[in-house]
Structures are given as C-alpha cells and as structure tokens.
Amino acid sequence: MTDVKNKARFRAASHPTPGGLPQPTLAQAMLMAVAIAYGLHALFMSGPAMRAAAREQLERIVADEDRDVCSQFGIRPGTSQFDVCSRELASVRKKQVERDKAAAQGIP
C-alpha cells in the first residue's frame, strides 16, 4: 500500500509532461530566477566597480615598481629625474606588451 502511495506522490511532485520529462517545480524556477538576477547584477552593477578597483590596483603596482626600480639607481620620487625614469619604464612596459601580443599571434 505504501508503495502505491509513494508512486502516486512521485508522479504528482514531478509533473511529467507528455514527452515524459518532469517540469521544474516552482521552487526550482524561483531558484533559477534568483541565480539569473544575481548574475545580471554582478555583470551590470558590480562589474564596472570591479574594473575600476582593478585599474586602481594596477596603477598602485606600477607606481610601486617605478619607485623601487628608480630608487635602485639612486633616483628619488618627486624629482625630474624620477619622472624621466618613470616614462622610460612605461616605454619598456609598452614594448613588452607588444612583444607578448606578437608572441601570442605566433610572430617571433
């Protein structure tokens, strides 16, 4: 008798379609809607803030590298020599990015 009740309960809970596949329940549909809403929020709201934070972090890293490398040559921050050193390091970074892009495309 319990076997018959379990089978009936299973059929009622899964809502089979004419093709034989169960339809999602309301709870599954709500969970999916929440997941999609969270993903859209992350994409459109948090995305720009995350990109801005990453850009600021990169700028801090570059400034720290400039200060460390230039100070190895005895050039202190805030001087005109430091500005020249920073520009030269930026040029070196740009050339390295170009070399990396060329290598990724298979160009030696």
Side-chain angles (χ1 to χ4, degrees), residues 62-63 66-67 70 81-93:
V62 168
D66 287 355
R67 187 182 62 249
C70 293
Q81 291 176 333
F82 183 81
D83 294 337
V84 172
C85 181
S86 293
R87 282 194 300 271
E88 290 301 318
L89 288 172
S91 174
V92 169
R93 286 185 189 100

Side-chain angles (χ1 to χ4, degrees), residues 21-33:
L21 297 175
Q23 292 178 341
T25 62
L26 180 61
Q28 290 171 330
M30 292 297 290
L31 182 63
M32 190 177 300

